[in-house]
Amino acid sequence: MSLLKPFSKLPGLNTANILLVESEEQFQQSLADALVEETSVTVNVRLAKSLPLPMENDESRPRIDLVVFIINLTSELSFQSAEASLKYLDPGYFLGKVCFMVTNARNASSPAERLDAVRKLASSLHCPLLFAEDQTPDGVASATERLLTILKVAAGLVPIATALYVSNLTRCTLPLDIDQPSFD
Amino acid sequence: MGSMDNTAKRLLQRLVRRIPSQMLKTTLDKWSRLTAAQRQSMDYAESKWALTEKLLAICEENELTVKHIAELEMIHVIENPNLGMWYVFQLMDPQDDAHSVELTQFKEQFKSHLSELIRHVSIKIKKHTDEAVWIRIAWGDTFSRPNHLKPTYVVHYLQTPYVFLTSPTSKQKPLLSQALVLSTRYQAIKDANLSGRKLTAIRDLLMKQYLQVFPTKFPSPLAERNCVVSNLHIEKEQAGSAANRHQMACEAFGDGILPQLQSAVYKLETKFRDHTNKTMTERDEPFKCVVKFASTNLLESLRHSASSGVTSTPVTPLLSSVPLKGKNYFVITDNGPGPSSQMKPSQK
């Protein structure tokens, strides 16, 4: 099985590479356009719908520092696709080089159970869970900023901080009453 | 005692209510039954009620009858074909001279055949600029005069076997079918299982007036078109499979802007299949249900669902039959392909 491995290639100078995985292929495009605007570091963005990635690109693909799974909470397909893609990542990625980003958390058509399921998934994998608003430029900008913060650490560009250390601080934790029925 | 009887008045009232004030002027001009002075005297900023009264007076002055109002209605319907509910019928088994039927012959034959079949009927035939023949029929019977308040509109494109009808009742359909078959020199007519609110959409679908995409071994133009990556630093990992899906979606549904079909209905008469539910699967009779897809543009939605990977590609014949066969009503049974309106269900 073709696992994506975190340390099998050499890093680039002052470069950070991020992989955005999104079943709907919408938000990832606007995030990518915003991410490459960063000036202090060269950011390369790879876009995918799901994992595994095609073997043809293995040679030319740079070392991926951070893998972001974008899940639209209004779509069950989006969640299932992200979940199914997880097994194509080498376990080494789950030491601070994977993060989950969800959209439409406040949308009335997103069932609460799905957010709980994503929380449980992120928490069991020790990954951070970010909430993003994808419809406005401000929402895209703030999501980009947060991703860049984590990306720079994951790419080893921040002195003293390592991905594993930061992930201990940022990882998703479950509220104690997550399995209680909510007031609706 | 004026020329405008009750029916004429009601028809006029209904028309003025239906036609938006901005369009009323152009429609009345096209009608050309008003003198220049009368047209000048109409103030289209007035209320509809005031306009109706004004028009009624003018019609009385010009001694117009219900037949003239029917003309006005026809002009309005021809200009706004997408406001009705249209049903498509297809003529079958052309005779040798079917392909050389031209307008005058068709008009005479249709009028004479329909009048033979039904005593009191009012027929108006008009040829539109786009080769369509429009027919307005007001039905009466042995005892009563034609009812202009419930007309049937028929559109036929000469040299094609297609006929579009609005709301045919079960009594009128056989008479209309007979007249159509005889005047077009075919031998039969059948329901084409296609209907919709927009005449232009179902016509374009049927006559394939949209960009067709054919299977090709070297879709290189498509690869160039897919190069929408804005930046050297952004790379799509799965561009190849995305291009494949897009190609297959376009092969099934077409490229560019698609006719605005708004619904598709599948009537299922297949056995219930779900291994986890023994009670239902054990039944012998088919599980009857109706599945309806609705959208502002159904074909574009289906194409997008295929190119984005939501529905699997290659596109299932259940969906691709809509544009391929030009139908939006299907009866699915468990047997193999039967008569043209039946299809084999997919394996899933």
Side-chain angles (χ1 to χ4, degrees):
Chain A
M1 198 152 69
S2 54
L3 291 181
L4 191 62
K5 293 185 158 56
F7 295 114
S8 54
K9 296 188 182 188
L10 292 173
L13 202 57
N14 206 33
T15 306
N17 305 308
I18 186 172
L19 173 65
L20 301 176
V21 182
E22 183 193 8
S23 163
E24 299 182 336
E25 298 182 293
Q26 296 276 57
F27 190 28
Q28 62 181 198
Q29 190 60 57
S30 32
L31 274 178
D33 291 334
L35 281 165
V36 296
E37 304 272 306
E38 173 66 7
T39 46
S40 61
V41 173
T42 310
V43 180
N44 292 315
V45 185
R46 312 283 289 194
L47 303 177
K49 188 180 165 77
S50 62
L51 299 178
L53 299 179
M55 285 197 311
E56 304 89 66
N57 299 347
D58 279 348
E59 287 295 311
S60 59
R61 190 183 306 124
R63 184 181 89 160
I64 302 288
D65 298 308
L66 181 66
V67 180
V68 183
F69 289 96
I70 301 173
I71 298 176
N72 179 348
L73 286 174
T74 57
S75 158
E76 181 65 19
L77 184 61
S78 175
F79 174 55
Q80 286 177 348
S81 167
E83 210 179 9
S85 300
L86 289 168
K87 54 179 172 290
Y88 295 97
L89 278 182
D90 183 281
Y93 268 106
F94 294 99
L95 299 173
K97 286 170 171 287
V98 174
C99 117
F100 288 87
M101 177 171 269
V102 295
T103 59
N104 288 312
R106 282 190 231 181
N107 192 313
S109 41
S110 311
E113 300 80 45
R114 198 166 293 149
L115 178 55
D116 284 348
V118 176
R119 274 210 165 103
K120 286 183 183 169
L121 184 63
S123 148
S124 69
L125 296 168
H126 299 278
C127 299
L129 176 61
L130 303 178
F131 290 81
E133 190 270 285
D134 59 334
Q135 302 291 323
T136 63
D138 278 345
V140 175
S142 71
T144 308
E145 227 183 280
R146 300 176 72 194
L147 280 181
L148 278 169
T149 315
I150 305 182
L151 176 61
K152 285 182 195 172
V153 174
L157 299 169
V158 178
I160 314 233
T162 65
L164 185 55
Y165 176 64
V166 170
S167 76
N168 270 318
L169 304 173
T170 57
R171 68 190 190 101
C172 178
T173 48
L174 291 176
L176 290 170
D177 62 349
I178 189 158
D179 285 319
Q180 305 294 323
S182 58
F183 291 101
D184 258 343
Chain B
M1 178 72 169
S3 58
M4 297 276 287
D5 59 4
N6 259 338
T7 326
K9 285 195 183 130
R10 280 176 66 191
L11 193 58
L12 185 63
Q13 274 167 350
R14 196 171 71 181
L15 260 182
V16 177
R17 243 201 333 262
R18 253 193 231 161
I19 305 178
S21 304
Q22 315 95 295
M23 293 191 54
L24 199 48
K25 180 175 187 320
T26 27
T27 319
L28 287 173
D29 289 345
K30 283 210 181 86
W31 190 32
S32 48
R33 293 258 173 212
L34 308 182
T35 66
Q38 286 166 335
R39 271 180 274 142
Q40 293 280 40
S41 70
M42 297 283 296
D43 177 9
Y44 297 97
E46 283 177 17
S47 71
K48 288 280 178 81
W49 184 87
L51 286 169
T52 315
E53 293 294 301
K54 196 70 167 296
L55 265 177
L56 266 173
I58 295 178
C59 292
E60 290 284 4
E61 207 183 297
N62 296 2
E63 292 187 3
L64 299 179
T65 65
V66 70
K67 287 216 170 126
H68 301 112
I69 310 297
E71 256 175 29
L72 183 60
E73 184 194 79
M74 195 164 179
I75 294 173
H76 173 66
V77 176
I78 295 181
E79 292 294 303
N80 298 279
N82 295 334
L83 297 174
M85 189 63 198
W86 296 90
Y87 300 86
V88 183
F89 288 81
Q90 185 171 350
L91 297 157
M92 312 285 291
D93 309 321
Q95 304 197 9
D96 294 329
D97 51 350
H99 300 290
S100 56
V101 170
E102 47 77 54
L103 183 62
T104 340
Q105 177 191 354
F106 171 71
K107 276 166 80 163
E108 279 169 11
Q109 290 283 299
F110 183 78
K111 279 191 172 148
S112 88
H113 283 301
L114 195 59
S115 320
E116 258 172 59
L117 290 167
I118 176 170
R119 189 112 183 269
H120 287 122
V121 68
S122 171
I123 309 170
K124 256 193 213 319
I125 305 191
K126 215 170 169 214
K127 171 129 181 305
H128 196 46
T129 44
D130 68 345
E131 303 305 308
V133 182
W134 282 75
I135 310 174
R136 180 186 192 277
I137 306 170
W139 305 86
D141 57 32
T142 350
F143 303 109
S144 55
R145 309 215 12 248
N147 181 358
H148 280 278
L149 293 171
K150 293 209 173 123
T152 305
Y153 280 92
V154 179
V155 182
H156 174 50
Y157 287 81
L158 291 173
Q159 318 307 322
T160 72
Y162 303 117
V163 182
F164 304 80
L165 277 83
T166 60
S167 48
T169 68
S170 45
K171 228 177 78 171
Q172 299 157 354
K173 231 199 281 186
L175 305 169
L176 188 50
S177 308
Q178 176 90 317
L180 280 168
V181 163
L182 292 170
S183 51
T184 54
R185 309 290 294 147
Y186 279 76
Q187 292 188 44
I189 186 169
K190 68 160 189 167
D191 191 335
N193 287 327
L194 177 64
S195 64
R197 288 209 156 272
K198 301 196 169 191
L199 177 64
T200 44
I202 52 179
R203 176 200 64 199
D204 288 345
L205 178 64
L206 213 44
M207 311 222 221
K208 307 239 186 277
Q209 300 290 310
Y210 54 94
L211 219 57
Q212 306 271 296
V213 175
F214 299 99
T216 159
K217 223 165 150 56
F218 301 105
S220 50
L222 206 66
E224 275 158 24
R225 220 184 297 160
N226 249 4
C227 235
V228 277
V229 191
S230 38
N231 196 303
L232 282 175
H233 293 285
I234 305 177
E235 172 116 6
K236 288 194 177 177
E237 288 276 349
Q238 291 144 339
S241 52
N244 264 346
R245 281 197 307 262
H246 185 73
Q247 172 75 3
M248 288 199 269
C250 289
E251 278 174 26
F253 297 103
D255 202 359
I257 302 187
L258 299 177
Q260 276 188 300
L261 193 63
Q262 294 173 321
S263 67
V265 172
Y266 296 83
K267 192 162 154 215
L268 301 181
E269 286 172 6
T270 48
K271 282 197 69 182
F272 193 89
R273 284 192 195 109
D274 180 1
H275 300 296
T276 60
N277 189 335
K278 282 267 175 322
T279 342
M280 290 300 292
T281 18
E282 271 165 12
R283 288 198 179 170
D284 274 331
E285 325 87 60
F287 179 72
K288 293 192 178 176
C289 76
V290 173
V291 178
K292 179 174 177 179
F293 291 88
S295 164
T296 41
N297 190 328
L298 183 64
L299 293 173
E300 286 196 12
S301 309
L302 291 176
R303 181 179 63 188
H304 184 258
S305 77
S307 71
S308 66
V310 171
T311 47
S312 55
T313 43
V315 181
T316 161
L318 282 168
L319 294 176
S320 60
S321 292
V322 174
L324 191 66
K325 299 191 180 177
K327 293 171 132 117
N328 67 352
Y329 176 76
F330 300 92
V331 176
I332 318 279
T333 62
D334 279 320
N335 312 322
S340 55
S341 62
Q342 291 182 332
M343 291 178 49
K344 213 181 202 153
S346 66
Q347 286 313 300
K348 187 161 176 262

